[in-house]
Amino acid sequence: MTGGDRQVFNNRTINKNAAPLNGDRARIQGEDTRKVKAPDFAYERPESLDQVFDLLERHGDEARILAGGQSLLATLNMRLSSPGLLVDIGRVPGLAGVARAGQTIRIGAMTRHCDLAAAPPVQAHLPLLARAVPHIAHPAIRNRGTIGGSVALADPAAELPACCLAMGATMVLASRGGERRVAAADFFQGLFRTVLEPHELLAAIEVPVPPAGSVAGFDELARRHGDYAIVGLAAQGVPAGAGWQGLALAFFGADDRPVLATAAAAVLAEGGGIAAAQAALDRDLDPPGDLNGDPATKRHLARVLLGRVVGAMAEGR
Amino acid sequence: MSADETGLTFLDRPNSYIGRSVPRPNARRLLQGRGIYVDDLKLPRMAHVAFLRSPYPHARIRGIDTAAAKAAPGVFAVVTGAEMARVCTPWVGVLGHFKGLKSAPQYPLAIDRACWAGEAICAVVAASRAEAEDAVALLAADLEELPAAVEMERALDPDETVIHPDLGDNLAFERLLDVGEVDAAFRDAAVVVEETFQVGRHTGVCLEPRAILADWDAGEEKLTVHHSFQAPHMMQDILCKHLGLPEASVRVVCKDVGGSFGIKVHIYPDEMATVALSLMLKRPVKFVADRLESFTSDIHARDHRVKGRMAFAADGTILAAEIDDLTGIGPYSVYPRTSAVEANQVVNLVGGPYRHRNYRARARVVFQNKTPMCQYRAVGHPIAVMVTEGLVDLGAARLDIDPVEIRRRNVIPDDAHPSTAASGIRFEQLSHQAALARLVEMMDYPALRAEQAALRARGIHRGIGLATFVEITNPSAAFYGVGGARISSQDGCTLRLNPQGGVVAAIGVTEQGQGTEAIVAQVVATAVGVPMEQVRVVTGDTDATPYGGGTWASRGAGIGGEAAWQAGKALRQNVLVVAGAILQADPASLDLRGGRVVDAATGTERMPLAELGRIAYFRPDTLPPGLQPEFVVTRHYVPKDYPFAFTNGVQAAWVEVDPDTGFVRLLRHWCVEDCGTVLNPQLVDEQIRGGIVQGIGAALFEECRYDRTGQFLNATMADYLVPMAAEMPDIAVAHVVSPTLSSEIGAKGAGEAGTAGAPAAVINAINDALRPLGARVTSQPASPEVILRALGRV
Amino acid sequence: MDGASMDRVRDVTLWVNGERVSRRVAVRTHLVDFLRVELELTGSHLGCEQGVCGACTVRVDGVAVRGCLMLAVQADGARVETIEGLSDSGAIADLQAAFHARNALQCGYCTPGMLVSAAELLAANPAPTRDEIRAHISGNYCRCTGYHAIVDAIETTAAARRGEGGAA
């Protein structure tokens, strides 16, 4: 599934036109210049998963899934992407909604951000998501954008992929042959890359109900409200004396994918304290620079966020 | 502000609209989505153009294979630079009064060479924009990438690429100024402070992109151009010149304009190309810049590096200032205003509020392979104010003098005008002392300092920043005309009284949302003596309005307003003459108030205006022989006493810096300014507020970032950070009123004061917050990374 | 559904400002181009076509969306409300009056989208703080006003709807 929440045109993609200065002649095609009217494509609006799989199997790489469209349509308008076919899954039944089944909360991929934060199971059990959603772009985007789109796009600076990582979520990938389940930690493969195969659809995200006593922490540093964060942290764990149980620290905006800071989490788990965890963070993160900050700035801000978020969690805030 | 023949000033006139916060009549339709912007227009047979733009900062164009594009669905024409040059002649952006300023001929479409990434090199005209873009994708351009001159600091190095070899080097313009005894003043100073200030490259980001719809009627041989633009008459003149058309054949219409800020007052190659395409294809052609091409083809501004120093006596008296300014303007000086003006303004304005008599300045303007730069809201001011106010704060800190106090001691006193600044700029009447006093009172400065100290003790770092400034408004012909630019500094207003008592006002200044039409209606209603609802204002049409410059350099209210005032007075006089004849009364004993002819002394109604209109238009046979009502009058105005009507003001910012993250929170912002007579307080306040936020954008967010090869890295709406609502503070605005005596209404401009002072106020506030931490920022935007670096945290 | 039959146009029927509209559209056409070009509802504006500026914000099935980030075909069967419809129905007349009185617009280009966003906030939160107002409209870019007047106008409207103070 593609799509997502915001724009993907910062320096990760902006330099499409930049060519190294080689002093030689170059032949440029006009298509190398960016525009704002989408290229031509075909469109299908299947009404069942079977129809989705038909289309995906028939068109392979040429087909793109249209979920909330809040990133995909922008990339199409800018001609950064030119799929042959859009498969609009907006009217496939059963893909939206949040429900609890035993110790698992299943979030349909087409659940829109605005509905996600308000869903009773999320309110009751997944405070991390409830806290994260208001940071995603702006209300009009949250009215359309979906969790599945965001997760499948795998923007490393997005909130929800990191939340999935912190919550130990499982991605449910559906295809003609049935479903396979992939842990969030294995799902994200790099910049806009996941383990999704062209014939597969991200159908749902399954999140374990956190154990009793679990607390969530979330914060991000964005230049402007709703912007992608310079760096952000989604965290969840159970306080245990001076330490933590099952503490997960998922940073976003700090690498080519959301990253679990395992070294820092281990220090905290053993009651090592925030300063030691901040020091350990250097082993977890090796952020590339971008327009928002160079590697040193990102590393520094990640340490600051770690202190703030874990500090607040420890105080029960 | 003078008394008229009835013995009253306009402020005293009964039913005066002057000085009242009247809502803008033309805003209501905008609120209902009924504005008419260029892209809202649809004409029969209209075609759309899209451009192929150079992806390279510098490239030789060896050829463009257009065959596939020409064959694409919906395509009417594909036109290259050489073909276009047969229709539209090139231009050179130089002016006589900028001695030594040089530039190269610029064409609507590059012919042999593209000089910035984003320069248009080929045009495709099709039935829809999408089809035009489809066909652009089929163009194959054979480009040889050339070495590019990118960094302005290196532009003059002997081994740097010379962008226009015919010009000899990359130095477009240099200005030197040396006044008084600068060396002696620095030698004798108690304290000398020095700093290098960097101001990032900005662009205007008008929400409505540039847009033009050209309609050449080959039968009538008339060209009608609908343009999102600030200066219709200037555009008309330039179209005539470069397309070889007589003036009578060209009409430029500027209806609603979705923001301009100086962006939409320049000649853009793609817009000239669009008009030429209409001539070539004999059909309407529309071009609406998309956001991506806006970033790379709208003019940029700022991008200055200024080394400055200032000398102080022990008591804080400023003794001298010296600056060395360097700015890169892209590969061409922009036509017709040129790209030397911003640096020239920096030289003029540094030290402007203060009494010192010793000043030395050098400004160098260099070519580079980046998007061309030119004038944008508050041209030069924010840079000059940052340099001046940054140095003043440094001096204050070194001498342990309060920032308010050091300014109090140095500003040109309110009773010392007329006066001249060290740079030579002339001030008719300024009010620095009054403005500073008002600001201190308004922000409760002592209480804020106390709060700051208390919070500091708790580890919360807040800062107060001040910025005193002067602003250039109401320019005379000294700005452009004397240099040979055909840019009108005068403006005219034509009024017509209709039979029912309605007044149509056609005026040369234009509306882009500032409230020009409301101001004109207020002035006309007051001057003539009719209800404002009876006044209809026409702007932005070269066929319908008197010749004028349009709206730029904060001239709309001051110059257009005075023309409207004079026209209104003349019309009232003409009406009263006719009324006197009908009523057999001395016209001097009558007045026009609220749409009625009244007895001037008692206010008793003598005759409704509609009755007078009925007689004059439909029963002129009943008028005395020899009396011909003249109910159309035109008056013009241009300031002559001073080259510019300088205004002044002072701003303050209250910010909190998070030293761990480098984030700045804007808590409050204040501005006291003096634009002379305030015609509509709410409109002036909103100009100030909008301008301040634009200045805050410069201080904290906005920057066109280029890599070393000349690629613009953040040329999208998502990555070029404009100010949004969540981060902006509430802004308090107050006024001191020193009317200019150059006009009767006494209004000066207010459009740029906010942008002029805000960056310095914010940066000074950040530095005030950082001072106990031993850190200081000198480059804008002051991003978290810049602040963290200053703090040594990264 | 394959090969040549995968045409690039589709027939859609939707309700725009209460009127039933049936058209054949190119599937690549986004909703705002459809509204502006096909239906001549030019009150919705395009400022970036990448979902950032908010000028194209319209209401679809009762919620505010970015019109440039939705295809016209996706609106098949939907109820779309634009500034023209919201104005004619009087649904946001008080908000528009407050914007007018407070001069919470200058060039007017952002205004239709800003009004749609503001109306959504007021429907969900009758007593928003200034910070909440600022956060809610943080995805609607205005270059002219500096936002202060817009925040004032929304705050005034909320107060008036609560019966506190007169409408602006």
Side-chain angles (χ1 to χ4, degrees):
Chain A
M1 181 183 296
T2 58
D5 312 309
R6 268 170 307 201
Q7 282 56 53
V8 289
F9 326 112
N10 55 26
N11 56 329
R12 295 191 292 271
T13 50
I14 192 77
N15 261 338
K16 186 178 176 189
N17 295 344
L21 177 61
N22 53 23
D24 256 336
R25 292 170 59 166
R27 223 174 150 71
I28 66 142
Q29 279 296 131
E31 67 192 16
D32 294 334
T33 59
R34 294 168 300 131
K35 288 289 167 190
V36 296
K37 298 293 181 197
D40 221 357
F41 48 77
Y43 170 89
E44 292 296 345
R45 191 164 58 215
E47 289 179 0
S48 70
L49 276 176
D50 272 345
Q51 288 176 7
V52 174
F53 300 139
D54 284 346
L55 291 163
L56 293 181
E57 283 165 17
R58 197 174 315 142
H59 298 279
D61 284 344
E62 274 295 287
R64 294 285 298 275
I65 298 285
L66 173 60
Q70 300 303 284
S71 290
L72 177 58
L73 291 184
T75 62
L76 292 178
N77 288 347
M78 297 173 81
R79 298 194 180 216
L80 290 169
S81 164
S82 51
L85 171 71
L86 286 195
V87 179
D88 179 358
I89 58 168
R91 300 190 194 184
V92 175
L95 285 180
V98 182
R100 179 174 176 177
Q103 286 308 299
T104 299
I105 293 169
R106 183 181 164 105
I107 304 169
M110 277 302 290
T111 306
R112 301 195 194 273
H113 302 319
C114 57
D115 299 327
L116 178 66
V122 170
Q123 295 269 324
H125 302 293
L126 303 178
L128 181 59
L129 284 179
R131 279 204 208 177
V133 166
H135 292 270
I136 303 170
H138 308 284
I141 303 276
R142 296 199 290 272
N143 285 341
R144 292 287 298 168
T146 63
I147 185 170
S150 173
V151 166
L153 180 67
D155 188 305
E159 290 84 359
L160 294 182
C163 290
C164 288
L165 211 51
M167 297 183 302
T170 299
M171 309 303 171
V172 181
L173 314 186
S175 62
R176 175 92 62 206
E179 291 183 343
R180 67 173 173 131
R181 285 175 162 69
V182 179
D186 300 324
F187 181 77
F188 300 107
Q189 293 289 299
L191 191 62
F192 303 118
R193 282 197 302 120
T194 71
V195 299
L196 265 172
E197 298 286 339
H199 65 279
E200 286 179 321
L201 176 76
L202 172 59
I205 292 145
E206 291 178 347
V207 185
V209 172
S214 175
V215 293
F218 184 93
D219 202 358
E220 64 175 44
L221 291 164
R223 294 288 296 279
R224 302 174 305 178
H225 186 84
D227 279 355
Y228 274 121
I230 306 174
V231 64
L233 172 59
Q236 187 172 290
V238 182
W244 292 83
Q245 273 184 347
L247 178 67
L249 304 171
F251 281 90
F252 52 100
D255 206 334
D256 68 351
R257 70 195 83 179
V259 181
L260 276 178
T262 51
V267 169
L268 289 166
E270 288 155 21
I274 283 172
Q278 286 171 320
L281 202 55
D282 274 352
R283 280 181 276 148
D284 293 316
L285 300 181
D286 184 17
D290 61 27
L291 283 171
N292 281 320
D294 64 12
T297 299
K298 288 194 171 228
R299 203 176 274 126
H300 168 81
L301 292 176
R303 283 193 294 263
V304 172
L305 269 187
L306 175 72
R308 290 185 178 180
V309 169
V310 175
M313 288 166 74
E315 290 168 21
R317 281 188 277 130
Chain B
M1 182 163 34
S2 61
D4 70 5
E5 62 276 12
T6 65
L8 298 167
T9 73
F10 61 86
L11 289 171
D12 305 318
R13 266 190 71 70
N15 306 315
S16 173
Y17 291 93
I18 311 271
R20 286 169 51 190
S21 289
V22 183
R24 294 159 53 206
N26 60 349
R28 221 177 248 122
R29 60 190 177 78
L30 301 178
L31 280 157
Q32 298 185 6
R34 297 179 201 280
I36 302 174
Y37 305 89
V38 170
D39 196 27
D40 299 337
L41 296 169
K42 210 189 226 181
L43 297 179
R45 301 178 67 238
M46 184 173 81
H48 300 259
V49 60
F51 295 96
L52 176 66
R53 295 177 183 276
S54 173
Y56 302 116
H58 199 188
R60 188 169 314 288
I61 303 166
R62 293 187 172 273
I64 301 172
D65 183 348
T66 61
K70 279 178 172 158
V75 170
F76 301 132
V78 178
V79 176
T80 63
E83 291 160 346
M84 176 73 63
R86 293 200 282 272
V87 179
C88 181
T89 59
W91 52 86
V92 182
V94 294
L95 284 173
H97 63 318
F98 293 117
K99 220 172 168 182
L101 171 62
K102 63 196 184 196
S103 190
Q106 194 178 2
Y107 290 82
L109 297 173
I111 300 174
D112 300 321
R113 210 158 49 98
C115 290
W116 82 90
E119 184 172 9
I121 60 177
C122 189
V124 175
V125 185
S128 70
R129 173 70 184 232
E131 286 170 311
E133 290 187 9
D134 291 345
V136 165
L138 301 173
L139 290 168
D142 184 2
L143 302 179
E144 176 189 348
E145 191 176 5
L146 300 170
V150 176
E151 306 293 337
M152 68 186 187
E153 299 278 359
R154 289 202 61 242
L156 301 177
D157 288 358
D159 62 340
E160 183 59 292
T161 300
V162 175
I163 297 175
H164 306 294
D166 291 351
L167 300 180
D169 56 29
N170 288 329
L171 183 66
F173 178 65
E174 180 167 26
R175 182 177 170 200
L176 302 168
L177 185 68
D178 198 343
V179 179
E181 301 294 331
V182 175
D183 291 329
F186 274 98
R187 192 185 55 228
D188 300 339
V191 163
V192 171
V193 296
E194 263 186 73
E195 192 63 270
T196 299
F197 299 89
Q198 305 266 1
V199 176
R201 191 175 248 261
H202 306 155
T203 186
V205 200
C206 308
L207 188 50
E208 181 211 19
R210 290 187 294 107
I212 191 165
L213 168 55
D215 181 12
W216 171 246
D217 181 331
E220 204 185 3
E221 298 199 326
K222 272 207 90 169
L223 174 69
T224 303
V225 175
H226 303 272
H227 199 186
S228 181
F229 204 61
Q230 300 168 231
H233 282 110
M234 184 196 94
M235 187 65 180
Q236 177 195 36
D237 192 75
I238 283 171
L239 289 172
C240 290
K241 178 174 178 184
H242 294 283
L243 295 167
L245 297 170
E247 200 170 50
S249 290
V250 180
R251 176 187 179 202
V252 177
V253 183
C254 304
K255 188 72 177 146
D256 291 313
V257 174
S260 51
F261 317 107
I263 297 299
K264 297 171 179 173
V265 75
H266 310 292
I267 294 305
Y268 288 94
D270 46 22
E271 295 179 5
M272 293 297 281
T274 303
V275 182
L277 287 165
S278 178
L279 285 162
M280 294 164 86
L281 301 175
K282 301 181 178 63
R283 67 191 305 161
V285 179
K286 182 194 275 186
F287 168 63
V288 180
D290 66 43
R291 183 54 60 193
L292 305 175
E293 59 192 343
S294 294
F295 274 109
T296 58
S297 65
D298 286 7
I299 59 114
H300 293 178
R302 324 297 189 222
D303 206 4
H304 285 243
R305 187 275 290 139
V306 187
K307 293 179 184 162
R309 53 186 200 131
M310 197 172 264
F312 295 86
D315 66 354
T317 303
I318 299 170
L319 302 173
E322 180 172 12
I323 63 156
D324 183 7
D325 180 22
L326 177 69
T327 181
I329 55 162
Y332 296 100
S333 171
V334 173
Y335 187 61
R337 284 173 152 73
T338 84
S339 304
V341 175
E342 182 141 69
N344 194 59
Q345 305 273 63
V346 171
V347 171
N348 285 340
L349 294 168
V350 164
Y354 300 116
R355 283 184 287 117
H356 63 283
R357 306 310 309 166
N358 306 300
Y359 177 47
R360 183 185 291 142
R362 176 172 76 155
R364 285 172 302 159
V365 176
V366 300
F367 293 119
Q368 52 183 180
N369 293 110
K370 293 182 181 176
T371 298
M373 295 223 307
C374 198
Q375 281 78 280
Y376 160 62
R377 194 176 201 174
V379 189
H381 292 69
I383 300 148
V385 177
M386 181 70 255
V387 171
T388 307
E389 297 299 284
L391 291 171
V392 166
D393 266 14
L394 271 179
R398 283 275 296 278
L399 289 160
D400 199 23
I401 299 173
D402 181 89
V404 168
E405 183 55 29
I406 199 165
R407 287 171 172 84
R408 234 180 234 145
R409 290 181 196 175
N410 281 290
V411 290
I412 300 176
D414 297 357
D415 61 5
H417 301 289
S419 65
T420 303
S423 70
I425 53 179
R426 291 164 57 208
F427 306 126
E428 179 194 1
Q429 178 62 52
L430 300 178
S431 59
H432 289 301
Q433 291 170 317
L436 200 52
R438 181 83 183 85
L439 182 86
V440 165
E441 173 199 336
M442 187 177 168
M443 65 193 285
D444 198 350
Y445 183 78
L448 212 55
R449 281 288 178 209
E451 185 182 343
Q452 178 187 33
L455 288 169
R456 246 176 211 168
R458 290 167 41 202
I460 294 170
H461 298 275
R462 291 191 175 177
I464 301 169
L466 298 175
T468 306
F469 61 90
V470 293
E471 184 206 344
I472 291 171
T473 78
N474 293 7
S476 72
F479 211 167
Y480 294 114
V482 299
R486 295 165 64 84
I487 296 170
S488 171
S489 53
Q490 66 82 51
D491 256 86
C493 178
T494 296
L495 299 181
R496 182 179 80 228
L497 178 73
N498 283 339
Q500 293 181 27
V503 177
V504 178
I507 193 159
V509 292
T510 53
E511 169 81 273
Q512 297 95 35
Q514 306 91 328
T516 306
E517 293 185 4
I519 295 275
V520 169
Q522 283 177 265
V523 171
V524 167
T526 303
V528 176
V530 295
M532 201 174 140
E533 307 79 60
Q534 298 266 34
V535 181
R536 184 181 179 90
V537 180
V538 176
T539 62
D541 185 343
T542 56
D543 271 6
T545 72
Y547 206 91
T551 298
W552 43 273
S554 300
R555 68 188 295 280
I559 292 177
E562 180 69 8
W565 173 252
Q566 295 298 342
K569 283 202 324 180
L571 178 60
R572 172 158 46 97
Q573 199 49 43
N574 289 4
V575 168
L576 294 178
V577 165
V578 176
I582 294 169
L583 298 167
Q584 298 188 329
D586 178 0
S589 72
L590 301 171
D591 195 8
L592 200 48
R593 295 175 193 168
R596 294 183 298 270
V597 178
V598 299
D599 182 82
T602 64
T604 310
E605 178 171 339
R606 299 293 306 274
M607 178 184 219
L609 197 49
E611 174 60 9
L612 182 141
R614 184 191 67 80
I615 295 168
Y617 283 103
F618 308 125
R619 293 303 306 276
D621 56 307
T622 66
L623 292 173
L627 179 67
Q628 174 58 53
E630 291 296 350
F631 288 171
V632 174
V633 299
T634 299
R635 289 294 182 274
H636 293 85
Y637 175 68
V638 66
K640 286 182 178 154
D641 308 347
Y642 286 84
F644 307 98
F646 271 94
T647 72
N648 66 280
V650 57
Q651 293 188 29
W654 173 232
V655 309
E656 182 173 317
V657 180
D658 179 343
D660 290 332
T661 62
F663 274 60
V664 175
R665 199 149 64 91
L666 301 161
L667 301 166
R668 205 69 214 281
H669 201 103
W670 299 265
C671 178
V672 179
E673 69 83 57
D674 183 349
C675 64
T677 304
V678 178
L679 298 173
N680 182 323
Q682 180 163 262
L683 294 186
V684 172
D685 288 0
E686 295 317 311
Q687 281 301 299
I688 299 294
R689 289 197 174 96
I692 284 171
V693 165
Q694 226 158 345
I696 289 172
L700 294 181
F701 296 108
E702 296 184 45
E703 186 179 21
C704 302
R705 297 175 66 175
Y706 281 81
D707 69 12
R708 288 211 178 95
T709 72
Q711 288 293 338
F712 188 174
L713 296 174
N714 60 331
T716 77
M717 200 78 188
D719 296 314
Y720 181 93
L721 305 180
V722 292
M724 301 299 277
E727 290 73 32
M728 292 303 114
D730 280 348
I731 298 165
V733 183
H735 306 277
V736 176
V737 177
S738 309
T740 173
L741 302 179
S742 295
S743 68
E744 284 186 25
I745 63 167
K748 309 181 213 175
E752 300 167 277
T755 309
V762 170
I763 297 293
N764 282 351
I766 291 169
N767 285 332
D768 188 47
L770 293 177
R771 195 163 293 116
L773 303 169
R776 177 171 169 76
V777 297
T778 56
S779 70
Q780 298 173 38
S783 65
E785 186 165 284
V786 164
I787 290 172
L788 288 173
R789 281 206 190 112
L791 284 161
R793 303 283 172 105
V794 299
Chain C
M1 294 256 290
D2 59 334
S5 72
M6 284 209 332
D7 51 357
R8 310 209 153 185
V9 295
R10 273 182 99 93
D11 294 325
V12 296
T13 296
L14 57 160
W15 283 260
V16 178
N17 299 327
E19 293 170 13
R20 188 170 183 274
V21 170
S22 292
R23 288 287 193 285
R24 176 160 294 180
V25 297
V27 295
R28 65 164 151 172
T29 304
H30 58 61
L31 180 59
V32 174
D33 264 349
F34 174 73
L35 294 170
R36 289 178 51 81
V37 178
E38 197 62 42
L39 305 185
E40 300 184 341
L41 292 166
T42 54
S44 303
H45 297 142
L46 289 171
C48 70
E49 301 192 72
Q50 55 181 109
V52 183
C53 77
C56 65
T57 307
V58 295
R59 217 182 257 177
V60 176
D61 289 333
V63 301
V65 307
R66 297 281 201 248
C68 74
L69 296 186
M70 183 169 182
L71 298 172
V73 285
Q74 288 181 287
D76 189 16
R79 289 173 298 112
V80 176
E81 289 164 277
T82 70
I83 187 65
E84 290 89 347
L86 293 169
S87 299
D88 292 350
S89 72
I92 57 168
D94 57 345
L95 187 61
Q96 289 166 312
F99 267 60
H100 189 229
R102 184 59 190 83
N103 201 46
L105 73 158
Q106 289 182 28
C107 79
Y109 204 79
C110 75
T111 309
M114 192 69 81
L115 289 167
V116 172
S117 288
E120 183 166 83
L121 170 68
L122 292 178
N125 182 353
T129 63
R130 288 180 78 80
D131 280 349
E132 285 169 344
I133 295 170
R134 286 184 177 277
H136 194 91
I137 61 168
S138 65
N140 289 80
Y141 171 50
C142 168
R143 188 53 138 178
C144 299
T145 63
Y147 303 105
H148 182 131
I150 295 173
V151 177
D152 284 352
I154 296 170
E155 194 179 37
T156 302
T157 306
R161 287 188 187 179
R162 294 193 308 267
E164 300 165 17

